[in-house]
Amino acid sequence: MRRPALRWFAPLLAAPLMLAGCGKDKSEETGSNEQVGTPAPTVRAEDPPDPLPALRTGTRAPLEHAELQGAIAAYRVEGEVEYVEVRVPIVGDDLSLDWDRLHVELEGNTPGHVAVMASGTGASEAVIQVRRPKSPAAPTSLRGAFYARRWQDGRNDWVRVPFAGAGAPKQADDAGLQVRWAEAMVQTLGDTWNEPHPWKQFAAGRIATWLKRQPGSKALGGSDLLSRQPPRTDLSRLMDTTTGVMSMQEALQHDRGLRLSREEGPRKVALADLKPPPLAAHPFAAMQAALPNPNGGAAEPLAAATPAEFWYARIDDVRLLLRLLDEADTWITPVVQILQQNPEDRGLTARYQRQLGLRRSDLAKLFGHTVVGEVAIVGSDPYLREGTDVTLIFTLKQAEVFDAELTRQLDGFRAEIAGIEATTVKLAGVDVQRAADPTGLVNQHRARVGELAFVSNSPGALARVLAAAQGQAPRLADEPDLKYMLARDPGTHQALAFLSDKFIAAVVGPQQKLLAARRQEALAELLVPGYAALLHGWLFGHAPKDTQGLIAAGLLAADELKHAGGEAIAFAPGQGARSTWGSPAALTPLIDLPAVEKVSEEERTAYDNFALGYQNYWRQFIDPVAIRLDVRDAADGSLADVDVRVLPLISATDYSEIEGVVGKSRVSVTAGERGLSAVWAVGQDSGLRRDMDQLMRTLTGKGDVGLGWLGDWVMLGVDDRAGLVGMLSQWDDTTQLPPKRSRSAFEDQELWRQVGKFPVYAIAEVKNPTMLVATLAAFRTTIESVAPGMVEWGEVARHRELPIVRVGISPGAPLLPDKAIADAAAIHYVQTGAAIVVGLDRPTVTRMIDDLLDGKLPKAGAATDPQFVVQTRTAVGAPLWTALLWTLQGQANVAGSSALRSAEILLRGDPQATQSTSGLAQLGLQYFGFAPLNAHGTPEFTLRPEGAADPLQGSTIAPSFPPLPIAGSPIERLMQRLTAVRGEVSFDKEPDAAGPDARSLHTKFSLHLGPAPN
């Protein structure tokens, strides 16, 4: 879990004051204590909407450079391949080109041609080294192009630079050429800044070790490529639940590629000697007794069949479960992956359906409310992506129908997957029907206890669940934290998820952390055969025929077909490696692995480091989490309410520092009609008030200014106006073709006009107009003394009898490149007496005035109200909707660069298997554990000279920008579904038994979902 950014409210609170500081306000005219009267309500007139700027579509092709002339400098034949080196002089402005060293376009290029640029930016000549199948004779010419970025007109543009190498090789038999090619490949693939990917780390190391066994390897005698390097992986990183798997595997594959042993030492330390974080338990019984209704809250019967240390999710109707899964598959999961910069499809839904022997498409028929009642999903760890145990608990209404349909569904899997065998085993004294195939694709375990039916993909998990259901092991229903949470927020909900103290303790405990770290190391070993097969395709232009051929080529060692612990690894090219640890596509659940009994000193040190970091962050308590969900249908869609409580949060944590920003005040905020806004309470006890007071007194040199005028709340927002998209269009180059500028950004009049139309606003409640007057006057004096003649201000209009003051750059200001800029953009503000409104766009300011005068402003809230509220509402095709669409699609385009890297590795690694989209996706699942997804959500890629590309949006070097939204893309599905969001955050007081400063973090979200797509 990442720490929240500290003091993040500061710039938001400062904005209205700083913007208003250059103006003349109404309170100054009416007298220090006079309140501006509220005019009678009037009909609100909206200015006609401006047209939205058009999306700039098309392809951003690289700029073309004149052909550079060079010469073939060296040539060497090694067995059935040849190496060619071309040197091309680089002069003038080209010395600043930032070369893409991996992508060299060659005339007549075919699979098995591997070219690399050996020189880097700033070199006086470009050195291109090529490895390819042997030619009948030494080449006398070689033509192609390389790609580079050039900084010009304020941005980096790609340039395609053709080159020609001519003449007979100056060195016809250069014994060192193979080594130089290898050095260049190792350096380029191993560049974690420009080319981060676990396979590239593996390939960089494996090319170095592979060369040692090739003809002419004596040439490597003076090379330091194979010098022993210490392993780089820190074991404690493998224990961080939130660390990116990709980055961990990059470090591990560096070691695997070079065949470096971890050498962690013997495992002689007893697991019991490892000390978990010394975190105290909450006094939940005393806390519950202090509640207004200690026995309140709805019971959770299925929690009585759930182990105390498992996570728990209950849904009262299986139809809601299926609906949530559909929403997750349709847009939630893909969008989260985009935002996390990992656009990939791990086939999680298909994986767990197959393991459980259930088909979601049939569940609605089988598990309608007449066959089963409530359903719970439980598990022992959070590693859903890598592989975890999943157990479903059903309350049966028609047991015979249930059993018959499960048997029918399993028969359907038997027709698709060979070798599924049925056996009966005994777990926790209960007969369990097991159906599984040798590869583990299906691993269904079924059992019954009374009126409950259980279906699990894990014998270890099911054994614990059955023990809990029979009262033979601690049950979640008996845990004091669940009892307290149910009584703390009484009421019935359609769905409840709960992470208990014992679950969190298990996740951070040594048993699970050591197993998770060892499983990551086992995954690194499972990836090696597939990685080696892909490298074979890069070097030879085709996949290896079999595993022995891969070993014979020197890219895989026979001893790499077993784990460091001796477990065998089964592998065949085109199929994922498998062992008792699982496969890259689905690792064995931790609960089904042999328990850790002994650890090495290195593992103990790594766990101690992890435990210390966790303890320092959370300081004292483990924090249980309760998540409640309700979905209501309406004519225009659905409303999903999500309620999350984390408790308690002690004063020593970073969350309490956020509470120090807002104080203990609450705010009541009416529902927004349109736009995006954020409102937060600013209590009199807020530490931020003190900080800002001191800052303003320092800036002005006056002791009588500060935030004494500020009321109980501050608001920042963006109105739903065309200026929002207009401003975005001036800067965005991730969603559309870059804007064309004839002048610099500072001199661009159109850019300044869009700044002036940008519909951002800030509003703050005013409780002491006298101090506001003094503060504004002090700022005005400061500005005039620091920059005389630079700023002009004055009343420019009135709205509902209130003066609108404009503050802008003076047309005569020195250094102003164009007087028109002074007219294009300015700050406007109005004081209503109750609040001060500041904005750039005058129509936006007038609309906010209408809202305030019509009683739609926030106000001090009650004890049950939130402390921070953010909300947005828009409509399909509206400016805010368009801006969000562009922004999210731009984020998807940026995130797609990692998918393009993965796709290129697969396309070059097995050209035959990846000729179809399904073939590429399947190869990715087998070798990487995931299929890369392009920016519009499909695993469709092609290979171009400059790298991988997708049909709609091109490549990194030559991107294309299609019209938006892209039909069927995750972003399009999101924008059609999510039309309004409201989020509320508060830090609620807990009973004194938890400690005098104990607070819980309470977050509520309301999501308005439009009609589901057909």
Side-chain angles (χ1 to χ4, degrees):
M1 185 175 293
R2 296 190 182 278
R3 302 186 182 194
L6 303 183
R7 304 302 184 195
W8 63 280
F9 286 98
L12 304 183
L13 182 57
L17 180 63
M18 300 300 287
L19 291 174
C22 303
K24 186 176 183 181
D25 70 296
K26 180 65 179 176
S27 63
E28 195 173 7
E29 297 178 351
T30 59
S32 59
N33 295 314
E34 182 180 349
Q35 294 293 316
V36 177
T38 302
T42 61
V43 177
R44 298 173 60 163
E46 289 276 356
D47 292 340
D50 293 333
L52 296 182
L55 185 75
R56 293 186 293 270
T57 59
T59 297
R60 185 181 178 184
L63 304 175
E64 284 294 332
H65 192 288
E67 185 177 75
L68 301 181
Q69 300 297 316
I72 298 178
Y75 177 72
R76 172 77 171 183
V77 174
E78 297 282 359
E80 295 302 314
V81 299
E82 65 183 17
Y83 294 85
V84 184
E85 182 177 87
V86 176
R87 292 179 177 264
V88 180
I90 303 296
V91 297
D93 292 342
D94 290 346
L95 289 170
S96 64
L97 288 172
D98 182 12
W99 304 105
D100 179 346
R101 298 177 56 185
L102 186 62
H103 298 107
V104 180
E105 179 182 340
L106 296 177
E107 200 173 73
N109 182 47
T110 60
H113 288 60
V114 184
V116 63
M117 179 177 284
S119 53
T121 299
S124 60
E125 65 177 0
V127 180
I128 307 100
Q129 289 160 347
V130 181
R131 180 187 188 274
R132 63 185 185 182
K134 185 174 62 175
S135 303
T140 57
S141 67
L142 194 149
R143 303 176 68 91
F146 20 72
Y147 299 89
R149 282 171 292 194
R150 186 196 299 277
W151 180 262
Q152 60 184 22
D153 297 330
R155 65 171 185 260
N156 267 320
D157 282 323
W158 282 102
V159 182
R160 180 180 180 273
V161 185
F163 71 88
K170 294 182 180 179
Q171 282 189 272
D173 191 19
D174 187 341
L177 182 52
Q178 186 184 39
V179 175
R180 296 200 300 274
W181 173 86
E183 287 175 333
M185 286 296 295
V186 169
Q187 188 177 38
T188 302
L189 292 173
D191 179 2
T192 57
W193 180 260
N194 291 312
E195 295 292 337
H197 197 284
W199 179 85
K200 292 187 176 181
Q201 289 296 299
F202 168 86
R206 190 51 52 100
I207 285 172
T209 58
W210 168 76
L211 271 174
K212 191 174 183 180
R213 292 182 291 275
Q214 301 309 301
S217 61
K218 60 182 181 297
L220 295 172
S223 173
D224 64 354
L225 274 174
L226 302 179
S227 59
R228 187 168 182 79
Q229 302 180 37
R232 297 181 303 165
T233 302
D234 179 1
L235 271 173
S236 60
R237 289 185 63 212
L238 301 180
M239 300 181 192
D240 187 346
T241 308
T242 60
T243 296
V245 173
M246 188 73 82
S247 61
M248 289 191 295
Q249 286 299 327
E250 282 179 31
L252 288 171
Q253 291 305 331
H254 164 267
D255 299 348
R256 299 263 64 81
L258 289 172
R259 291 185 52 74
L260 298 180
S261 171
R262 288 200 53 82
E263 297 181 353
E264 72 177 36
R267 294 172 176 173
K268 296 182 178 180
V269 180
L271 184 74
D273 292 343
L274 275 64
K275 303 301 180 186
L279 305 174
H282 303 297
F284 282 115
M287 292 166 61
Q288 185 172 347
L291 292 174
N293 183 6
N295 298 317
E300 287 289 330
L302 295 184
T306 303
E309 71 279 11
F310 276 33
W311 58 263
Y312 171 81
R314 184 267 307 156
I315 302 92
D316 65 6
D317 191 320
V318 73
R319 292 169 296 183
L320 177 60
L321 170 62
L322 299 177
R323 185 172 176 179
L324 294 175
L325 291 174
D326 286 339
E327 295 287 352
D329 282 353
T330 300
W331 59 271
I332 297 175
T333 300
V335 170
V336 169
Q337 290 173 340
I338 287 169
L339 297 178
Q340 292 182 339
Q341 301 289 298
N342 60 338
E344 59 189 36
D345 180 12
R346 291 183 172 267
L348 296 184
T349 300
R351 178 206 302 178
Y352 288 110
Q353 280 187 138
R354 192 168 51 240
Q355 289 177 350
L356 292 166
L358 299 173
R359 294 189 189 276
R360 194 170 80 197
S361 58
D362 293 334
L363 289 183
K365 293 186 302 182
L366 164 63
F367 297 156
H369 63 284
T370 61
V371 178
V372 299
E374 291 186 324
V375 182
I377 309 173
V378 303
S380 66
D381 69 56
Y383 302 103
L384 185 70
R385 184 171 68 171
E386 294 89 345
T388 189
D389 56 284
V390 176
T391 301
L392 277 68
I393 308 173
F394 298 96
T395 304
L396 295 183
K397 294 182 178 180
Q398 297 186 51
E400 295 78 9
V401 176
F402 178 90
D403 289 338
E405 187 60 27
L406 254 65
T407 299
R408 188 188 69 81
Q409 291 194 34
L410 187 60
D411 288 341
F413 282 107
R414 282 194 172 95
E416 301 171 5
I417 300 171
I420 297 178
E421 294 186 359
T423 56
T424 300
V425 297
K426 223 173 192 54
L427 298 175
V430 177
D431 287 335
V432 174
Q433 301 174 51
R434 179 178 184 269
D437 71 290
T439 64
L441 293 176
V442 174
N443 196 28
Q444 184 193 77
H445 295 74
R446 293 165 52 186
R448 288 267 302 277
V449 174
E451 298 302 316
L452 298 181
F454 304 86
V455 182
S456 180
N457 68 342
S458 162
L462 185 55
R464 295 195 192 182
V465 170
L466 292 175
Q470 298 174 95
Q472 301 169 359
R475 306 179 303 174
L476 180 61
D478 300 328
E479 292 300 306
D481 53 352
L482 177 61
K483 292 180 178 179
Y484 175 78
M485 282 291 217
L486 295 176
R488 173 69 174 81
D489 297 303
T492 59
H493 299 274
Q494 293 173 321
L496 169 74
F498 187 69
L499 309 180
S500 67
D501 269 357
K502 287 187 175 179
F503 169 74
I504 297 171
V507 170
V508 302
Q511 178 66 237
Q512 195 170 121
K513 280 299 172 188
L514 265 297
L515 269 179
R518 290 181 183 180
R519 192 173 67 167
Q520 279 296 322
E521 292 179 310
L523 173 59
E525 294 166 336
L526 285 167
L527 289 169
V528 165
Y531 280 8
L534 291 172
L535 181 56
H536 185 284
W538 275 56
L539 295 177
F540 300 105
H542 59 84
K545 293 182 179 180
D546 52 37
T547 306
Q548 289 305 312
L550 189 58
I551 294 173
L555 298 175
L556 180 71
D559 63 2
E560 289 179 309
L561 292 175
K562 64 179 181 180
H563 291 285
E567 304 93 338
I569 296 176
F571 175 75
Q575 301 177 17
R578 292 186 178 277
S579 74
T580 55
W581 291 91
S583 69
L587 296 174
T588 302
L590 297 179
I591 200 170
D592 292 326
L593 294 171
V596 175
E597 297 179 354
K598 299 284 187 179
V599 303
S600 67
E601 284 292 345
E602 288 78 9
E603 287 178 315
R604 173 159 67 176
T605 300
Y607 182 76
D608 288 345
N609 291 337
F610 164 81
L612 180 62
Y614 189 91
Q615 181 186 356
N616 287 340
Y617 177 39
W618 293 105
R619 302 295 174 90
Q620 184 176 354
F621 289 105
I622 300 173
D623 297 88
V625 181
I627 305 171
R628 296 169 170 88
L629 170 69
D630 292 286
V631 180
R632 305 189 303 277
D633 291 324
D636 61 343
S638 306
L639 188 67
D641 293 323
V642 184
D643 184 299
V644 182
R645 187 179 294 278
V646 181
L647 69 99
L649 303 165
I650 309 305
S651 57
T653 69
D654 285 340
Y655 287 108
S656 64
E657 294 197 36
I658 296 178
E659 186 191 30
V661 172
V662 300
K664 295 180 173 62
S665 297
R666 306 287 173 135
V667 64
S668 174
V669 183
T670 58
E673 296 178 357
R674 73 185 203 194
L676 170 65
S677 65
V679 182
W680 60 97
V682 186
Q684 298 301 314
D685 56 339
S686 165
L688 184 57
R689 279 185 182 267
R690 297 188 295 271
D691 294 346
M692 293 304 298
D693 278 344
Q694 183 60 44
L695 172 63
M696 286 183 282
R697 288 166 184 163
T698 300
L699 290 174
T700 61
K702 296 181 178 293
D704 60 345
V705 301
L707 292 185
W709 59 268
L710 181 62
D712 295 322
W713 55 266
V714 173
M715 173 188 287
L716 278 184
V718 179
D719 198 7
D720 200 349
R721 291 183 178 275
L724 180 60
V725 186
M727 186 66 171
L728 181 62
S729 70
Q730 291 297 306
W731 293 104
D732 174 62
D733 63 356
T734 58
T735 309
Q736 59 179 353
L737 288 170
K740 294 181 179 179
R741 301 193 192 281
S742 57
R743 310 169 72 182
S744 69
F746 181 65
E747 299 174 327
D748 192 329
Q749 293 183 32
E750 177 58 26
L751 174 59
W752 281 104
R753 279 192 289 269
Q754 293 299 337
V755 170
K757 293 181 178 180
F758 189 53
V760 64
Y761 62 87
I763 310 174
E765 184 184 29
V766 176
K767 281 202 171 176
N768 188 335
T770 301
M771 181 165 281
L772 176 59
V773 169
T775 301
L776 294 174
F779 266 108
R780 183 174 307 143
T781 300
T782 300
I783 290 171
E784 289 177 346
S785 63
V786 172
M790 288 289 294
V791 177
E792 64 176 22
W793 55 80
E795 180 180 325
V796 293
R798 284 181 171 258
H799 183 71
R800 295 176 71 169
E801 302 305 318
L802 295 175
I804 300 175
V805 178
R806 181 183 187 276
V807 183
I809 301 173
S810 173
L815 304 180
L816 188 66
D818 193 322
K819 292 183 179 180
I821 293 175
D823 298 327
I827 296 171
H828 299 83
Y829 79 93
V830 176
Q831 193 206 343
T832 69
I836 184 169
V837 183
V838 185
L840 296 171
D841 176 52
R842 199 163 85 191
T844 297
V845 172
T846 61
R847 196 178 87 80
M848 293 304 106
I849 294 172
D850 288 335
D851 279 354
L852 293 173
L853 296 183
D854 292 347
K856 297 181 179 179
L857 72 167
K859 59 184 179 181
T864 56
D865 285 320
Q867 292 169 286
F868 176 76
V869 177
V870 60
Q871 56 185 341
T872 180
R873 181 178 292 276
T874 186
V876 173
L880 178 58
W881 184 90
T882 303
L884 290 173
L885 169 67
W886 288 20
T887 300
L888 288 171
Q889 189 62 57
Q891 181 71 18
N893 295 350
V894 172
S897 60
S898 65
L900 289 173
R901 282 192 290 270
S902 294
E904 180 179 4
I905 293 166
L906 295 169
L907 290 164
R908 294 179 66 173
D910 195 337
Q912 291 74 36
T914 56
Q915 289 179 357
S916 67
T917 298
S918 59
L920 185 146
Q922 183 63 21
L923 193 68
L925 284 169
Q926 296 296 332
Y927 283 174
F928 292 160
F930 63 86
L933 297 178
N934 54 35
H936 47 95
T938 71
E940 190 174 3
F941 298 91
T942 58
L943 189 61
R944 296 181 183 174
E946 74 271 16
D950 80 72
L952 284 182
Q953 295 181 281
S955 64
T956 300
I957 292 176
S960 294
F961 302 99
L964 297 181
I966 299 173
S969 70
I971 301 300
E972 192 257 356
R973 294 193 294 263
L974 166 66
M975 297 305 297
Q976 294 293 334
R977 291 291 280 143
L978 201 57
T979 58
V981 178
R982 179 183 171 100
E984 301 178 355
V985 178
S986 61
F987 296 88
D988 296 341
K989 178 74 171 64
E990 293 300 313
D992 289 339
D997 297 316
R999 298 284 188 276
S1000 60
L1001 173 64
H1002 192 198
T1003 305
K1004 296 181 180 179
F1005 284 98
S1006 292
L1007 312 177
H1008 187 274
L1009 303 175
N1014 294 327

